[in-house]
Amino acid sequence: MKIEIEVKRRRMSVTQGEAVVYINGQEIISFGDDIRMIPKGERCFGTKIGDWASVKPDTEFILGMLYHPYDEIYHYSEKVKQALYNILKQEQNGGMSCVTM
């Protein structure tokens, strides 16, 4: 079974945005995006509106879903675990997943 982790970005305005992390289409968590004015030639992520875009790559949000970098105790493992258990149930109920050669 394919397990897909996806980040979708939403912009509420030119200078405000959020990033939502999904596992197989199930929303797990959302984060405020870091939208800044991007100088010409500088790297940015997501959609650039005017000169404004995110300075955070998708991987930062995925890591944030798994582990909160500022607090060793606080994390989102329960939501991630539940999403993965739902996928496991689908696999178990779907029959064979091996390839016959």
Side-chain angles (χ1 to χ4, degrees):
M1 166 161 258
K2 180 178 179 180
I3 298 174
E4 183 176 86
I5 298 174
E6 181 180 18
V7 176
K8 294 181 182 178
R9 295 170 190 262
R10 299 179 187 150
R11 293 285 284 275
M12 286 69 79
S13 71
V14 172
T15 60
Q16 296 178 338
E18 71 176 349
V20 183
V21 184
Y22 295 82
I23 296 179
N24 283 13
Q26 179 183 343
E27 183 176 326
I28 302 298
I29 190 167
S30 64
F31 296 97
D33 204 347
D34 190 358
I35 307 295
R36 298 185 192 172
M37 186 174 278
I38 307 296
K40 190 172 185 172
E42 291 291 316
R43 185 176 195 127
C44 63
F45 303 91
T47 303
K48 191 173 184 183
I49 302 174
D51 289 331
W52 296 84
S54 176
V55 295
K56 287 191 172 190
D58 290 353
T59 305
E60 283 196 36
F61 299 114
I62 295 168
L63 286 168
M65 170 188 68
L66 298 171
Y67 178 77
H68 194 282
Y70 305 112
D71 187 341
E72 294 178 9
I73 297 170
Y74 186 71
H75 54 85
Y76 305 97
S77 63
E78 193 57 41
K79 286 188 97 174
V80 173
K81 184 170 65 174
Q82 187 59 50
L84 293 173
Y85 275 134
N86 290 341
I87 293 167
L88 178 61
K89 286 178 190 175
Q90 291 173 10
E91 288 179 324
Q92 290 171 333
N93 294 330
M96 291 177 44
S97 62
C98 59
V99 177
T100 303
M101 300 185 83

